[in-house]
Amino acid sequence: MAGTKKLSDRFLVALFRRGKAEYLPPSYLEAEGGKVLAPGESAKLLTFLTEMVGNGILAEKDGEYKLLKDPFV
């Protein structure tokens, strides 16, 4: 069922929780998400990241992102 998921806040939080570093670059998130996201969903990644930074869920530093809080726990 690869390539069928929609990009969502919950999906991005799950990617951050699986990440191997404190700060993750968008390229990592896009590569990992691209394994299961429906075609075209990766194009929305930067918009989602910007919104989540604005909501205080993520922090951005030097073009990389860090999960500050998990709103789904």
Side-chain angles (χ1 to χ4, degrees):
M1 276 269 225
T4 60
K5 288 193 171 281
K6 298 270 186 200
L7 183 63
S8 66
D9 294 4
R10 188 176 296 271
F11 183 82
L12 277 176
V13 167
L15 283 179
F16 274 98
R17 294 179 66 77
R18 287 186 341 145
K20 307 263 190 262
E22 186 175 14
Y23 281 86
L24 299 173
S27 59
Y28 167 83
L29 298 169
E30 189 172 324
E32 291 299 305
K35 295 176 183 177
V36 294
L37 290 174
E41 288 297 301
S42 294
K44 302 174 188 175
L45 180 65
L46 291 178
T47 302
F48 268 86
L49 292 172
T50 302
E51 289 175 6
M52 292 174 76
V53 168
N55 291 334
I57 298 169
L58 302 177
E60 188 270 333
K61 178 181 176 186
D62 299 327
E64 296 188 339
Y65 296 85
K66 172 185 178 179
L67 181 65
L68 295 177
K69 64 180 180 180
D70 184 346
F72 304 107
V73 290

